[in-house]
Amino acid sequence: MAINKQRLKVLLYGNLFGAYRSENLVKYLLDSGYRISIISPEFFYERGEKKDFLTKILRIVFSGYYLVELLIKAALADVIYLLPLNSELIRPVVWAKRLFKTKLVVEMYISAYDTLVRERQEISENTAAARLLYKTERLALTEADYIVHLSRYELSYWEKIFDINLSEEKILIAPLFYKPGLARFQHQRIRTQCLHICWWGTLIPSHGVSNILGALHKLHICNVDFTCQLFGVPAKGQEHLVKIYETQIDQLGLGEVVTLRQDLKFVDSSLPQYLIKDCDLALGIFGDTEKAKAAVPNKLIEALTLGIPCLTMSTPALEEFFEPGVDCWTCESSPEAIADTISQIYEKTAYQVDWDKTQKKVYQTFSIGNYHQVIKQVLDATVN
């Protein structure tokens, strides 16, 4: 008897705590009537409260039970779906896929090898840890029956890194999507003489904060009337970067016009509420890394969803979804290019952008509805 596609048994494998994309995937599957089961290995081996000696022993005994659970559920599942940000867990999934001839969908979202080894250099390239990351992520991409990813351009970039060629038939593109509630906040500020600039994000190399500060320094010495609020948080284990950037701000003589803050956030809506009232210009990313040039930045989609004019680095990745020079302001990543473009924006000589039209494009392309359509499409494909 043919399988009813809406009644597929989907085994979701990976840690999803705090992952917004995974949370929406689970909700969509439940709302659509799919039968799902979730295995989160982190639940078994993450450190937690140990009430007594017996509890401690039981935690050790049962810590590997998720592998037994995987084998049982994989035997019953129609599809195994590796959740976003879980590529390091691919090996047991591949074993289960091969053993039970189950279809495998992989949604990597980011490459840990590209991030930790190539960009941040937190792991040295010629080490066992780096080689393991490389082999693991290469395995995830090559063993997947279907790959769901943010953009085709970034997948092409990964193909070069991992020396592979992916079949177009197994690729489905589901771009970033803005949080639905974000659209209720709409830009209200009427610009005065002073240009209020904002940037937000994680303090990582691909975001190019140093290039931004270099550009702001050039604007400052040219007596451009501006202020800039940098809402930047450090990546885990990189807390020292806050002090480094604060020192750089002081050394460049920007202390009176540039502030690095961590007090407002998207999660409690305090940041979008501030941005729509106090921001004239949002800055995207300006990193010099290959990773930066291969990605469509979250902050660009967030800014355009809010209706805030935005300047970001011109990259080939943008061309997959936008028309640079038409849909938003773009420039090269150098401090000189950034400063020159902001000066044109300040003097109102920059090329005109129909921000309402761009916002409509964002609503159409970067919506959660598009993500849902891709998920349905990939699950339908697994039974065809």
Side-chain angles (χ1 to χ4, degrees):
M1 184 174 69
I3 297 175
N4 183 334
K5 296 177 183 178
Q6 291 296 86
R7 296 291 290 164
L8 280 176
K9 287 184 178 180
V10 182
L11 174 57
L12 304 174
Y13 191 80
N15 303 313
L16 53 78
F17 311 117
Y20 183 70
R21 198 167 173 99
S22 294
E23 291 169 5
N24 279 275
L25 169 63
V26 173
K27 184 179 186 306
Y28 170 73
L29 294 176
L30 290 173
D31 290 345
S32 302
Y34 293 97
R35 289 174 288 178
I36 71 170
S37 185
I38 304 173
I39 301 177
S40 294
E42 189 178 58
F43 182 85
F44 292 90
Y45 57 72
E46 185 182 34
R47 185 174 298 171
E49 181 183 359
K50 300 176 179 61
K51 297 180 180 179
D52 51 36
F53 179 75
L54 177 60
T55 303
K56 183 177 181 178
I57 294 299
L58 289 176
R59 285 182 182 275
I60 296 173
V61 171
F62 293 133
S63 63
Y65 175 72
Y66 67 92
L67 293 174
V68 177
E69 186 182 14
L70 171 62
L71 290 176
I72 294 171
K73 292 183 176 180
L76 301 173
D78 300 308
V79 181
I80 303 175
Y81 197 117
L82 186 70
L83 293 169
L85 302 172
N86 284 279
S87 58
E88 75 279 4
L89 301 176
I90 189 63
R91 291 185 181 278
V93 175
V94 169
W95 298 337
K97 171 211 167 180
R98 291 174 178 174
L99 180 61
F100 301 112
K101 310 299 182 184
T102 308
K103 293 294 184 180
L104 173 60
V105 180
V106 170
E107 186 171 352
M108 274 179 51
Y109 194 79
I110 65 170
S111 165
Y113 177 81
D114 186 30
T115 301
L116 301 177
V117 179
R118 289 167 54 86
E119 184 187 57
R120 301 187 193 176
Q121 299 180 354
E122 295 179 18
I123 301 175
S124 298
E125 189 168 1
N126 296 317
T127 62
R131 289 191 292 271
L132 179 60
L133 266 183
Y134 181 91
K135 292 178 181 178
T136 297
E137 296 197 326
R138 191 177 192 276
L139 182 69
L141 292 169
T142 55
E143 285 289 336
D145 293 293
Y146 297 97
I147 297 171
V148 176
H149 192 56
L150 304 175
S151 71
R152 186 61 183 91
Y153 186 88
E154 188 167 43
L155 276 179
S156 299
Y157 166 59
W158 288 355
E159 284 179 299
K160 294 177 183 177
I161 293 176
F162 296 107
D163 191 24
I164 57 176
N165 289 302
L166 299 175
S167 169
E168 294 298 327
E169 296 179 354
K170 65 188 277 185
I171 296 171
L172 294 96
I173 300 304
L176 294 166
F177 54 84
Y178 60 87
K179 293 185 178 182
L182 198 63
R184 77 176 188 270
F185 300 101
Q186 288 302 303
H187 193 227
Q188 303 168 3
R189 179 175 172 79
I190 299 176
R191 181 185 157 187
T192 59
Q193 177 62 24
C194 179
L195 182 67
H196 289 215
I197 304 169
C198 292
W199 176 90
W200 57 92
T202 311
L203 301 173
I204 55 177
S206 61
H207 287 168
V209 178
S210 291
N211 283 338
I212 292 173
L213 291 177
L216 297 178
H217 172 64
K218 293 181 181 299
L219 293 173
H220 190 50
I221 61 178
C222 290
N223 296 317
V224 173
D225 187 8
F226 76 93
T227 65
C228 182
Q229 303 294 313
L230 303 172
F231 296 94
V233 296
K236 186 177 180 180
Q238 300 290 308
E239 290 76 10
H240 65 282
L241 290 177
V242 174
K243 184 63 177 177
I244 290 177
Y245 285 121
E246 287 176 339
T247 300
Q248 188 174 355
I249 290 170
D250 290 336
Q251 290 176 341
L252 292 173
L254 295 172
E256 294 183 0
V257 291
V258 178
T259 305
L260 179 58
R261 306 169 55 176
Q262 291 91 42
D263 56 324
L264 304 183
K265 302 176 177 63
F266 272 95
V267 68
D268 62 4
S269 298
S270 58
L271 183 51
Q273 287 175 353
Y274 175 89
L275 294 173
I276 62 173
K277 295 178 181 178
D278 295 275
C279 181
D280 297 314
L281 173 67
L283 299 180
I285 64 173
F286 298 94
D288 296 320
T289 66
E290 289 185 84
K291 177 180 171 62
K293 297 172 183 176
V296 176
N298 275 288
K299 53 189 59 55
L300 173 65
I301 306 307
E302 291 163 346
L304 295 177
T305 300
L306 295 170
I308 303 172
C310 188
L311 169 65
T312 194
M313 176 172 63
S314 178
T315 67
L318 280 183
E319 297 175 10
E320 188 170 340
F321 305 105
F322 293 101
E323 187 175 354
V326 174
D327 293 328
C328 60
W329 288 317
T330 61
C331 67
E332 297 305 311
S333 62
S334 69
E336 294 78 11
I338 300 169
D340 182 59
T341 306
I342 294 178
S343 292
Q344 294 176 34
I345 294 169
Y346 173 77
E347 295 167 358
K348 300 183 180 180
T349 59
Y351 56 82
Q352 294 295 311
V353 174
D354 187 337
W355 297 107
D356 290 336
K357 184 178 179 180
T358 301
Q359 187 180 53
K360 290 177 182 177
K361 179 180 287 191
V362 169
Y363 286 166
Q364 293 169 357
T365 306
F366 299 90
S367 69
I368 194 169
N370 277 355
Y371 181 57
H372 293 166
Q373 289 176 13
V374 170
I375 299 308
K376 184 180 187 307
Q377 184 180 351
V378 72
L379 294 179
D380 286 352
T382 62
V383 294
N384 289 335

